[in-house]
Amino acid sequence: MTKKETAQEIGKILDNLYTELPIPLDHKDPYTLLIAVLLSAQCTDKRVNMITPELFALADNPFDMAGQPVETVREIIRPCGLSAQKAKAIVKLSNILIEKYEGKVPAEMDLLEELPGVGHKTASVVMVQAFGKPAFPVDTHIHRLAYRWKLSTGKSVAKTEKDLKKVFPEDEWDRRHLQMIFFGREYCPARGHKPEECPICSKYGRKGMK
């Protein structure tokens, strides 16, 4: 069975398991999504969703956020971790959005990646979830599962992204990205589940992996 054929069969299982795909991070527009995804680095989506209501009550747009003291932002987002770096990035990128883009979040990957605190994965999430443009964000769950399911070599997140884009059709990227996140959270061995209990690993997983 080729990787594309395996991916097709895995896709069928994912579609049966996850018919509804809510976006994990609460937001109301591209800007609030951008900030939420930035905060999610090394932090759970659940915790981010607990913190953003207070942050967005303070400022939910770049014009209001740009004028906030970094320390004020830092105190609110402290539970997310890396609060010093993230607070500086949030205030700085808000100023950049005003200066360069009239307060709007650019809908281009390379422009997003130029913003402070915005890496490739963050930019990919914004591209697909805010603007509906094809992207395949890869987080640790997806990186791990792609290797476990023999869809990628697992050498790097960048390589995993390229591999997954090859085996899944472009119009499935957004759906597969979310499904793999939900699947990883539910069946990942790191959370106490055994590979033989996994409806995909039991059929398509690498042998000998725990």
Side-chain angles (χ1 to χ4, degrees), residues 112-201:
L112 284 169
E113 290 186 66
E114 290 177 357
L115 296 172
V118 179
H120 183 71
K121 183 248 181 179
T122 297
S124 296
V125 173
V126 174
M127 287 294 290
V128 68
Q129 294 181 357
F131 300 116
K133 296 189 176 183
F136 205 128
V138 174
D139 69 353
T140 54
H141 287 306
I142 294 174
H143 181 56
R144 186 184 302 114
L145 290 176
Y147 177 75
R148 184 178 291 274
W149 297 342
K150 297 182 284 189
L151 299 180
S152 178
T153 61
K155 292 182 178 179
S156 69
V157 171
K159 181 66 166 59
T160 295
E161 180 182 339
K162 290 180 180 179
D163 290 340
L164 292 176
K165 284 181 174 179
K166 288 180 181 178
V167 298
F168 288 115
E170 186 176 285
D171 61 357
E172 294 182 5
W173 290 354
D174 182 28
R175 184 163 90 254
R176 298 296 177 233
H177 150 250
L178 289 171
Q179 288 172 330
M180 290 179 74
I181 288 176
F182 296 146
F183 188 93
R185 292 173 179 175
E186 188 170 355
Y187 292 99
C188 178
R191 302 199 173 200
H193 298 282
K194 298 179 180 179
E196 59 268 24
E197 298 172 343
C198 169
I200 296 179
C201 292

Side-chain angles (χ1 to χ4, degrees), residues 3-102:
K3 286 184 180 180
K4 283 191 175 182
E5 290 171 337
T6 300
Q8 185 177 25
E9 293 304 308
I10 288 173
K12 292 177 183 177
I13 296 174
L14 292 174
D15 284 338
N16 286 331
L17 288 172
Y18 307 105
T19 55
E20 295 184 10
L21 297 170
I23 295 177
L25 292 168
D26 297 337
H27 67 284
K28 66 176 184 178
D29 55 23
Y31 177 75
T32 52
L33 176 63
L34 174 62
I35 300 304
V37 181
L38 187 157
L39 289 172
S40 70
Q42 299 186 37
C43 181
T44 65
D45 292 344
K46 182 178 180 180
R47 185 174 295 278
V48 172
N49 288 337
M50 293 171 61
I51 289 167
T52 49
E54 182 179 357
L55 179 63
F56 295 149
L58 175 73
D60 63 357
N61 62 81
F63 297 97
D64 290 339
M65 190 70 77
Q68 298 299 324
V70 171
E71 191 57 35
T72 299
V73 175
R74 182 182 181 183
E75 282 302 313
I76 295 174
I77 68 172
R78 190 180 296 277
C80 278
L82 304 176
S83 59
Q85 300 96 306
K86 290 177 181 178
K88 289 178 182 178
I90 289 170
V91 174
K92 188 171 181 179
L93 75 80
S94 297
N95 278 282
I96 292 174
L97 292 180
I98 295 169
E99 295 166 1
K100 297 183 65 173
Y101 306 110
E102 299 180 340

